[in-house]
Amino acid sequence: MSKIFFILFLWASFCSLAQNDTLLTLKARYYLNDNQLDSALIVLNKIEKHQYQSTFLLGTVFQLQKNDAGAKLWFEKSNEFKDAYASYRLMQLYALNQKWDSAAYYLNQHLNSFFKVSSVDLATDVALDEFRQTTEWKLVLEKTPYSIVEKNIEQAQYFFTKSKIPQALDILDEVLQNDKKNHKAMFLRAQYVVELNRDYSYAIRDLEKSIQIAPLNSEYLMALSKLFISTFKFKKALLQIENYQKIDPFQIESELIKAECFYRLGQFDNALKSVDKVVWVNPKQVEAYRLGGLVCFDSNQFEKALVYQQNAIALFPRRVDLIFDRGKTYLELEQNLLAELDFGTCVDLNHSNGEFWYFKALASFYQNKKEQACRFFKKASSFGYYKADEYLVKECN
């Protein structure tokens, strides 16, 4: 049954969404990440008006197909749309073909761009092993070296990956003492403070300062939107994620965040539109299906909620929150036996959760299995779920 739901759902989404160039670009990236090169190329060829991201993806397809000439052509077009966006890839291609002058040209272009990778990434890229031994490489790095501040920030990032957050914060604080407008250090400090002690107010202040200094850095906008969601400031979160999409519409995660904001603000129709975009692009995005189910459940669209929930469970058959959501929907649809089965699975997966026992009891109670329901209400109460006590008093004496 879930496969039928799944096919019908995707077909409806395809009909309504497939003509959008941005969504086609996102779909192509999904296929690329899933190593479906032919499918990616088919979708990219449907795009009517190309831009930096779609041409970059075309270059990537040709690069993976070992068609260097085609890859260079499309990467160069990507650079025409957005300065230096594909310069790193062009450097790699020329380096692998031992064309050192051209590789050096694009290395220099990359190092002077917004998209500059870390010195560690540059030093460990195996595609550049031979290039790193050349005079051309050394001349570029002498001309455009990584600064001490950049290396300090990289050190902070390294400490963070090793869960040494206080040491990472010490480095960032020192950087900011010497350069109060270093937006990258502020951005990282905001993330690390939240990870260390959940100081959302401090982190939000840092991120807002980062955005004032670098208003076109979409990464900062997304991070701030997530923090606003964590602090239940959904209108502010929505504003930030919409600003993010104006700068970078080619990250499907932003649409899922947008759906969450709409849902929390009670804008259910808008939330479902965003959810449908996400699952059309990525039919394996379980959190989008779950959110779609919650939106429909809260707006009393129980049959539709079940569609989203079935798709979610098809992806993760033993995930307890998904099964619990479906059980509650079955209750609303008065499919009490199916609800009881779902809540029974929840209890099997988490025996000490009083809420699961309570809903299992309700499903039994609605089938007039009073003795069984009372046993389950007692279990729920024993695990601290006090809503069960009302039934114990009224129905189980």
Side-chain angles (χ1 to χ4, degrees), residues 39-85:
S39 296
L41 196 56
I42 290 170
V43 172
L44 287 166
N45 285 331
K46 291 179 180 179
I47 291 174
E48 295 179 359
K49 188 176 181 180
H50 282 290
Q51 31 57 37
Y52 74 94
Q53 187 63 227
S54 61
T55 49
F56 181 83
L57 294 176
L58 280 163
T60 303
V61 170
F62 283 108
Q63 185 180 24
L64 292 171
Q65 292 177 336
K66 309 298 182 185
N67 183 340
D68 287 355
K72 289 172 186 174
L73 173 67
W74 286 109
F75 285 144
E76 286 166 1
K77 286 185 180 295
S78 182
N79 270 2
E80 290 173 10
F81 284 112
K82 180 169 281 196
D83 188 42
Y85 187 77

Side-chain angles (χ1 to χ4, degrees), residues 130-183:
E130 289 187 67
F131 184 30
R132 279 192 290 269
Q133 308 307 313
T134 67
T135 301
E136 290 84 354
W137 171 277
K138 293 171 185 175
L139 287 172
V140 173
L141 267 296
E142 286 174 5
K143 180 181 176 183
T144 315
Y146 283 80
S147 69
I148 293 173
V149 170
E150 287 174 321
K151 290 183 177 179
N152 285 340
I153 288 175
E154 288 180 22
Q155 183 69 24
Q157 291 174 298
Y158 172 78
F159 278 135
F160 180 74
T161 63
K162 299 299 180 182
S163 298
K164 297 180 178 179
I165 301 176
Q167 293 94 320
L169 287 169
D170 286 343
I171 294 172
L172 295 174
D173 286 340
E174 186 176 344
V175 168
L176 286 163
Q177 282 178 3
N178 298 318
D179 180 6
K180 297 186 186 303
K181 292 189 176 182
N182 191 303
H183 52 83

